[in-house]
């Protein structure tokens, strides 16, 4: 089907007589929801909120402090047994360190969620590496994604939670060059694409003209002789600054 003109085997939806790719359609529906005056889909229970702040206070984070939730996808949780592979969705947490330092320099906290297979963060002021807390509780991921100032990270599963509670997101290294994160009013940056043969970067018109621009998995891009280029740490830091304003 990919060889047929303008027919791509990806997911689409019809919104107000317009045919939209799934990623844009979901954001369009949510935008209409907000324009009609509806609030967030979900609300945190008060007892969960109180329990969550009690946990943060154990780290020295006073109740009512503002914090940013961080999640940077790595391969340990799934073991990268997916077929096709999902390794192109991973990122290096080190590239987020300047953004973390900026947040803490402004008096905020950074709370990193995830699983204990992830690379540890270096000790830093006002930074909680909750992914490595041996006593962590499941409800805390929900609390940390709903009580934050905004969510910073990559397009892994947890990034779907904050907008459902009305929270903003800053998504780096988005792997779908033609798509966008679900929900509107979010800031995101896609990974770039380069030719494996000579390293030449595709410009945006070239990348957006590709028939695989909406493809979620890496095999379609690798088969075309391309590789992914991660966002740089200074770019991630600027995105963080803009999101926090």
């Amino acid at each position: 089907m990919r060889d047929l003109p303008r027919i791509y085997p990806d997911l689409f939806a019809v919104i107000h007589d317009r045919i939209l790719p799934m990623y844009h359609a979901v954001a369009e529906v949510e935008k209409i929801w907000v324009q009609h005056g509806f609030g967030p889909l979900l609300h945190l229970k008060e007892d969960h909120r109180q329990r969550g702040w009690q946990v943060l206070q154990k780290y020295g984070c006073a109740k009512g402090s503002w914090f940013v939730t961080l999640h940077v996808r790595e391969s340990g949780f799934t073991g990268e047994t997916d077929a096709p592979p999902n390794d192109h969705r991973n990122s290096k947490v080190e590239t987020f360190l300047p953004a973390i330092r900026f947040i803490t320099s402004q008096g905020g906290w950074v709370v990193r969620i995830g699983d204990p297979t992830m690379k540890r963060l270096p000790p830093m002021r006002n930074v909680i590496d909750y992914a490595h807390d041996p006593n962590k509780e499941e409800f805390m991921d929900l609390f940390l994604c709903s009580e934050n100032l905004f969510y910073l990270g990559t397009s892994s599963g947890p990034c779907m939670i904050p907008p459902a509670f009305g929270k903003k997101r800053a998504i780096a290294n988005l792997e779908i060059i033609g798509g966008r994160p679900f929900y509107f009013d979010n800031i995101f940056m896609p990974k770039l694409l380069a030719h494996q043969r000579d390293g030449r970067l595709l410009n945006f018109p070239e990348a957006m003209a590709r028939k695989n621009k909406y493809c979620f998995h890496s095999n379609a891009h690798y088969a075309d002789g391309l590789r992914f280029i991660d966002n740089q740490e200074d770019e991630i830091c600027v995105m963080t600054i803009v999101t926090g304003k």
Side-chain angles (χ1 to χ4, degrees):
M1 290 182 65
R2 284 196 184 277
D3 293 332
L4 298 176
R6 302 187 62 79
I7 297 180
Y8 309 142
D10 296 300
L11 297 177
F12 290 83
V14 179
I15 307 294
H16 289 174
D17 297 324
R18 291 184 298 153
I19 299 176
L20 298 173
M22 176 184 67
Y23 311 102
H24 301 275
V26 172
E28 185 70 14
V29 169
E30 199 255 347
K31 184 176 182 179
I32 296 171
W33 174 274
V34 172
Q35 288 175 342
H36 279 74
F38 299 119
L41 289 172
L42 301 177
H43 298 275
L44 193 67
K45 291 183 177 180
E46 186 57 31
D47 62 326
H48 285 174
R49 179 176 290 106
Q50 296 299 328
R51 288 173 59 198
W53 281 112
Q54 288 173 5
V55 172
L56 290 188
Q57 287 173 331
K58 295 178 181 178
Y59 286 94
C61 180
K63 185 176 181 179
S65 300
W66 67 272
F67 66 89
V68 172
T69 305
L70 174 70
H71 184 269
V72 181
R73 190 185 193 276
E74 296 182 18
S75 61
F77 184 72
T78 65
E80 296 308 347
T81 57
D82 302 338
N86 263 330
D87 59 314
H88 65 305
R89 298 174 60 199
N90 296 334
S91 298
K92 295 180 179 179
V93 72
E94 298 93 326
T95 58
F96 287 77
L97 293 180
I100 293 172
R101 295 189 182 100
F102 171 78
I103 293 169
T104 58
S105 73
Q106 301 302 301
W109 287 70
V110 174
V111 187
R112 192 264 201 103
I113 61 174
D115 69 276
T117 67
M118 290 179 162
K119 184 174 182 179
R120 289 181 179 273
L121 290 173
M124 291 182 285
R125 179 179 62 88
N126 285 18
V127 175
I128 302 172
D129 200 350
Y130 193 68
H132 290 277
D133 188 330
N135 300 313
K136 72 175 189 172
E137 302 178 69
E138 290 183 356
F139 87 94
M140 276 298 291
D141 284 346
L142 192 62
F143 168 82
L144 293 170
C145 286
S146 61
E147 194 75 358
N148 55 19
L149 181 64
F150 65 91
Y151 175 101
L152 172 64
T154 56
S155 58
S156 189
C159 79
M160 302 298 291
I161 303 173
F165 287 91
K167 298 297 183 176
K168 295 188 297 182
R169 299 178 300 175
I171 304 296
N173 292 324
L174 186 70
E175 73 282 357
I176 308 169
I177 190 66
R180 49 162 296 168
F182 291 166
Y183 300 94
F184 83 109
D185 197 24
N186 290 264
I187 294 179
F188 67 96
M189 295 188 297
K191 289 190 176 186
L192 300 179
L193 290 169
H195 291 279
Q196 296 180 15
R197 183 182 64 258
D198 56 12
R200 184 181 70 83
L201 287 172
L202 273 68
N203 58 38
F204 281 105
E206 289 175 316
M208 293 298 292
R210 296 181 64 245
K211 61 184 180 182
N212 295 325
K213 63 182 177 180
Y214 295 122
C215 187
F216 182 80
H217 293 290
S218 61
N219 58 337
H221 306 289
Y222 296 158
D224 288 343
L226 300 173
R227 61 186 177 91
F228 290 90
I229 305 295
D230 285 9
N231 301 146
Q232 302 297 304
E233 59 181 33
D234 58 333
E235 298 169 334
I236 296 173
C237 188
V238 170
M239 180 184 67
T240 301
I241 295 171
V242 172
T243 306
K245 289 183 177 180

